[in-house]
Amino acid sequence: MSTTFTTTPTFRAATVGDTPAILQLLTGAGLPVEGVADLLAADARQFVIAETNARDVVAVAGLERCCNNALLRSVAVRDDWQRNGLGHQLVQRVVCEAELRGIEALYLLTMTAEHYFPRFGFDVVARDAVPAEIANTLEFKSACPASAVAMARALGATAHALS
């Protein structure tokens, strides 16, 4: 059930101190947490969070850079904040951030949202078509099951070249 809120959460880069809240949010959403704490410890700014005025983390998304590509991972919105456009805003922010960083393509794995991500330009791809640096991430190798759907989106100059 969604709730209408009078305040809009603030988006910001995550900090190491956000790790417990992020892990709790991912666990609550049924998403894998393997490797997330390590990514946050290495560079917490790889994750964007949405938080309320009370500093409650209500949404998260990660951008794990792998050479010229990146893995969009750990996209979750707390149940009571769903269906208010927060997830959409968060994914848009992460895609824009990836473009600003010069990332050529974004990849993701999903068990439940293959119909959600096409609105952001993602298409289903064969797992064996994913670049090696993405395929070798913990998320691809073990955190997500082999039945997860792989998706990709070209960015920047790569996207324009494909048009």
Side-chain angles (χ1 to χ4, degrees), residues 1-130:
M1 183 169 169
S2 68
T3 305
T4 302
F5 294 93
T6 57
T7 60
T8 301
T10 303
F11 293 95
R12 66 170 174 82
T15 66
V16 174
D18 296 315
T19 301
I22 290 170
L23 294 175
Q24 181 179 11
L25 184 59
L26 296 176
T27 300
L31 295 176
V33 296
E34 293 87 348
V36 172
D38 292 335
L39 289 170
L40 287 161
D43 183 4
R45 295 170 300 161
Q46 295 180 91
F47 287 79
V48 175
I49 64 167
E51 68 179 356
T52 65
N53 293 344
R55 296 217 178 271
D56 289 332
V57 175
V58 296
V60 65
L63 184 65
E64 183 178 349
R65 187 166 189 151
C66 304
C67 297
N68 295 329
N69 299 305
L71 182 63
L72 175 62
R73 60 169 298 157
S74 306
V75 178
V77 176
R78 202 170 72 188
D79 287 346
D80 57 336
W81 281 85
Q82 291 181 359
R83 301 197 194 334
N84 286 294
L86 189 55
H88 189 91
Q89 293 174 47
L90 188 62
V91 172
Q92 282 183 317
R93 283 179 177 271
V94 173
V95 169
C96 288
E97 179 66 24
E99 288 183 321
L100 288 172
R101 292 184 189 181
I103 291 170
E104 293 178 5
L106 277 175
Y107 295 85
L108 64 85
L109 286 172
T110 184
M111 292 293 296
T112 60
E114 76 178 272
H115 300 292
Y116 178 73
F117 287 103
R119 71 188 73 187
F120 302 101
F122 285 88
D123 294 307
V124 173
V125 296
R127 280 180 84 133
D128 61 2
V130 172

